[in-house]
Amino acid sequence: PLTIRSASGATRLHRLAAAKRATLAGGTLSTLAIEGTEDGFQDLVAAGFAPEALGDEGIANVGLGFDVRFAGRAYGTVGVTANGYLVMGGGTSQDVSFQPAAIPSTARPNAILAPFWTDLNDDDIDSSGDVYGVSIAVGGDPGEQFAVVQWTTHVWGDEDAKRTFQVWLFEGVDAATLDYDAATLGQPGEPSVGLQVGAENQNGSSGAGLGTN
């Protein structure tokens, strides 16, 4: 593939990726153009895309500008929660819970994609000066677009329990990729509530989770 040595008006992420900022429906996003990746976890914050705090038990509905497929349905909006999961199609405060639930379940939230559902802290800046929140990137050519949602956060009440992870969504493809930085892999959620990783359809009739322990 073509190696990117410099990027005019954009940020060079690594030899195969460059990025620039843009504004889409739902808020300010980062536009990420990737030709391919061979370098493992692509940390958006390290590349200059500052996270934005959602607030404790917060949710932000973000328009992607294209449709992704999930559990057989098309969605152009995702609800990004502070507690480590997406609500496909968007959600409200009723879809936000710090307590991870069994998957599947007909109780809200439904239509969820959960890379790291637990009680997470969404402070802007902790006592060490580290910035926490969510970064969102979209990119690619029409017909092959993608979105990346990254949480840069820590377990509630423990600033040393840092967690960084992503969801990758792809235009027109009923599949998603969950990606984790090395320090997050194998780590637990908030001890009193546990951790859930999994996905569930729009009415909670089908899904799979790794459990809440």
Side-chain angles (χ1 to χ4, degrees), residues 40-56:
F41 185 82
Q42 301 299 308
D43 189 341
L44 297 182
V45 176
F49 301 101
E52 296 185 14
L54 299 178
D56 190 32

Side-chain angles (χ1 to χ4, degrees), residues 26-98:
T28 299
L29 306 183
S30 303
T31 298
L32 180 66
I34 293 184
E35 301 294 334
T37 177
E38 299 173 353
D39 296 340
F41 185 82
Q42 301 299 308
D43 189 341
L44 297 182
V45 176
F49 301 101
E52 296 185 14
L54 299 178
D56 190 32
E57 319 308 334
I59 184 171
N61 292 320
V62 179
L64 301 176
F66 58 91
D67 285 348
V68 299
R69 296 194 65 80
F70 180 77
R73 292 194 175 189
Y75 297 97
T77 299
V78 294
V80 185
T81 75
N83 289 320
Y85 63 93
L86 300 179
V87 181
M88 304 303 293
T92 71
S93 60
Q94 292 180 298
D95 296 301
V96 180
S97 175
F98 68 87

Side-chain angles (χ1 to χ4, degrees), residues 95-157:
D95 296 301
V96 180
S97 175
F98 68 87
Q99 175 77 57
I103 294 177
S105 170
T106 56
R108 294 176 72 172
N110 301 122
I112 59 172
L113 184 54
F116 205 90
W117 183 4
T118 189
D119 194 6
L120 296 171
N121 200 62
D122 199 56
D123 289 338
D124 284 307
I125 303 175
D126 71 9
S127 60
S128 300
D130 292 326
V131 179
Y132 294 100
V134 174
S135 304
I136 303 175
V138 297
D141 296 324
E144 297 183 338
Q145 296 178 93
F146 60 89
V148 187
V149 181
Q150 176 173 318
W151 289 260
T152 306
T153 184
H154 63 83
V155 170
W156 178 260

Side-chain angles (χ1 to χ4, degrees), residues 115-116 151 153 162-165 179-188:
F116 205 90
W151 289 260
T153 184
K162 293 178 171 56
R163 305 288 185 264
T164 304
F165 51 93
D179 205 0
Y180 305 80
D181 79 340
T184 298
L185 279 173
Q187 296 302 310

